[in-house]
Amino acid sequence: MSEDRSEFADIRDLSLAVLAETEKVIVGKTDTIRLIIMAVLAGGHVLLDDFPGVGKTTLIKTISIALGCQFRRIQFVPDLLPSDVTGMKIYNQKTGDFELREGPVMTNILLADEINRAIPRTQAALLEAMEERQVSIDGEIYPLPAPFLVMATQNPVELDSTFRLPAAQMDRFLIRLSMGFPDRDEEREMLRRVGDEIPFDEVSAVTDAEALTGAQQRIYGVHVSDLVADYIVSLTQATRDHPQLSMGAGPRASRALYRAARAWAAMEGRDFVTPDDVKALAHPVLEHRLTVDGQARLSGVTAASVLDEILAGLEGTPDPSAVTADEE
């Protein structure tokens, strides 16, 4: 399909513009940035799991500026309460009524910094917000602004005063990513560009919350053929049947991969999804939802290696050349 036929050329241009603005601050992480842009377009939440100091918080803040969205940050600590996230009702002595004091969750992009440092009760306060885009306070339901996205960080080094995210919460993150350390050239370029002060003021908004919400709705117009849908189902079903996994990917994972592939195709300016789109997203979408059996883990088996094995076993089904715009 030629580019001038695609109704999603503007979404491709938007993703490239957000990427360009973000790379004014973030050096050498193009693939990671593109995956986060995909998650934003798909309306999904992001978990950045990496070592301290690699730029996780800076990346999220920069993308928020480029998207023109309201941004708030919560530093998760063990004594953080659920009401510190969602907000609470406060009695106003002048009016004699209880008034809502909004929590930081009432925003477009919420940075949950070091999310695994909060107690499970506080982590659970985010579950309703992440899934239903609403919060319940004193029996009343309050919808969250659109779009609403959680971008959380955690690091794999420190275990003291941390609480492992439950599987139910991990499953609500569309993707989990690691940035990794920069190579020598990237780190030198980073020092030249942001050595003294991070140049957030050089980043311009290329869209806004309303336009972004419209782009998210248009993603539903990307065509997914029966062949590709069957491929997604075969992939997730294979994780449930694999002998080295004690927990495979559930139906929410299938839906997540379906949505992510649509957004990825739109970012390429295409109005249809290919099996290669699914393969490109399998690891960031599925890997954190898989639990390796204890015995297999002792033998060095990882969720990534199991997923690679499954993808290799599905190679050639379906044939990517069979999935084209003509199929519509």
Side-chain angles (χ1 to χ4, degrees):
M1 184 181 65
S2 60
E3 286 184 359
D4 57 357
R5 273 188 58 196
S6 176
E7 60 182 294
F8 296 98
D10 60 326
I11 292 183
R12 177 196 61 218
D13 294 343
L14 171 62
S15 66
L16 290 173
V18 174
L19 174 65
E21 291 299 318
T22 306
E23 288 187 327
K24 291 179 179 178
V25 173
I26 304 298
V27 178
K29 301 299 176 185
T30 300
D31 292 342
T32 300
I33 298 169
R34 292 190 73 237
L35 284 168
I36 293 177
I37 295 171
M38 176 279 297
V40 169
L41 290 171
H45 310 294
V46 177
L47 177 61
L48 283 176
D49 188 356
D50 214 327
F51 298 106
V54 296
K56 302 185 294 295
T57 301
T58 301
L59 170 58
I60 293 170
K61 184 176 180 179
T62 306
I63 286 182
S64 300
I65 296 171
L67 292 172
C69 289
Q70 185 182 25
F71 169 82
R72 290 183 180 177
R73 172 181 176 177
I74 306 176
Q75 185 65 49
F76 277 63
V77 290
D79 60 354
L80 191 75
L81 299 175
S83 58
D84 295 327
V85 176
T86 62
M88 66 180 73
K89 292 286 189 69
I90 301 294
Y91 182 72
N92 188 324
Q93 291 183 338
K94 292 182 179 180
T95 64
D97 293 324
F98 283 90
E99 298 177 352
L100 175 66
R101 177 177 293 177
E102 292 185 351
V105 75
M106 299 289 188
T107 188
N108 296 129
I109 297 178
L110 177 68
L111 168 56
D113 213 0
E114 296 188 283
I115 188 173
N116 58 326
R117 288 194 175 277
I119 60 175
R121 181 184 172 197
T122 302
Q123 291 178 12
L126 274 181
L127 289 178
E128 181 184 16
M130 294 173 71
E131 186 68 17
E132 305 294 335
R133 265 65 175 185
Q134 65 182 34
V135 292
S136 300
I137 303 174
D138 291 343
E140 292 189 48
I141 294 176
Y142 297 88
L144 298 176
F148 172 73
L149 302 164
V150 173
M151 296 193 185
T153 71
Q154 64 177 9
N155 77 72
V157 179
E158 297 172 324
L159 298 178
D160 292 339
S161 300
T162 63
F163 303 85
R164 184 177 179 180
L165 296 183
Q169 189 155 2
M170 290 292 288
D171 199 31
R172 282 167 170 78
F173 286 103
L174 180 73
I175 55 173
R176 183 181 68 178
L177 302 172
S178 295
M179 295 178 66
F181 290 115
D183 62 28
R184 185 180 183 86
D185 291 339
E186 291 170 350
E187 192 160 2
R188 183 170 57 244
E189 176 62 23
M190 179 198 69
L191 291 176
R192 289 172 175 167
R193 194 181 304 180
V194 298
D196 295 323
E197 186 176 351
I198 300 174
F200 290 120
D201 57 344
E202 295 181 9
V203 181
S204 302
V206 297
T207 185
D208 56 35
E210 183 178 358
L212 183 57
T213 301
Q216 290 176 334
Q217 293 297 320
R218 289 179 56 210
I219 295 300
Y220 292 104
V222 176
H223 176 68
V224 183
S225 69
D226 289 342
L227 279 173
V228 173
D230 288 344
Y231 182 65
I232 292 173
V233 172
S234 296
L235 177 55
T236 54
Q237 287 279 347
T239 66
R240 299 169 206 167
D241 298 334
H242 198 283
Q244 293 177 317
L245 295 179
S246 59
M247 184 177 72
R252 186 185 282 117
S254 299
R255 292 175 53 218
L257 194 51
Y258 190 88
R259 285 163 43 215
R262 277 176 154 176
W264 195 252
M267 287 173 61
E268 297 292 328
R270 284 186 278 107
D271 55 8
F272 64 97
V273 175
T274 71
D276 286 337
D277 296 326
V278 177
K279 294 174 187 176
L281 299 170
H283 278 278
V285 174
L286 298 182
E287 195 175 311
H288 63 286
R289 306 170 195 265
L290 308 179
T291 302
V292 178
D293 176 81
Q295 189 63 42
R297 189 166 56 249
L298 291 174
S299 302
V301 175
T302 64
S305 64
V306 171
L307 198 50
D308 282 336
E309 177 190 327
I310 291 172
L311 287 167
L314 294 176
E315 195 68 37
T317 54
D319 179 4
S321 64
V323 184
T324 67
D326 296 332
E327 197 176 37
E328 300 181 55

